[in-house]
Amino acid sequence: MADKDVEQTGEQGYGTEPWWADLGTWGAIALIAFGGLAALILFRLPGTPQELAAGYHGAAKVIAIGLVLVGCTLLNRRDNRAAATEDTN
């Protein structure tokens, strides 16, 4: 196939954003709280260790996503403040 037969649009073809991409700070805090509550509920439930481990794993993933979102939001705010103070000077 020759190069002229292939149409190139210049787009990367990335998929859609993840479900948690636009949650913001309060959404991230809600995820952390929800993950902690889920872990607390799982701690109280009877069951086999394997079932509990899967539940803890899911709760830990929710907490981790929340922590990453909060950290990114705080770092972005700090960078924006630093850029604003440099512009005024």
Side-chain angles (χ1 to χ4, degrees):
M1 211 155 128
D3 288 336
K4 61 184 176 184
D5 294 339
V6 178
E7 182 180 338
Q8 296 180 357
T9 61
E11 295 180 12
Q12 291 292 329
Y14 294 115
T16 60
E17 291 182 341
W19 59 268
W20 44 265
D22 293 326
L23 288 179
T25 305
W26 290 110
I29 292 171
L31 279 178
I32 295 168
F34 178 72
L37 182 65
L40 183 65
I41 290 172
L42 287 170
F43 183 72
R44 302 277 183 202
L45 291 178
T48 64
Q50 281 185 326
E51 292 171 355
L52 291 177
Y56 285 137
H57 180 72
K61 287 195 305 188
V62 170
I63 293 171
I65 289 171
L67 289 173
V68 167
L69 286 174
V70 166
C72 290
T73 303
L74 293 177
L75 285 175
N76 189 25
R77 285 184 184 175
R78 190 181 83 183
D79 289 343
N80 289 341
R81 285 183 187 165
T85 57
E86 287 178 4
D87 289 343
T88 58
N89 291 334

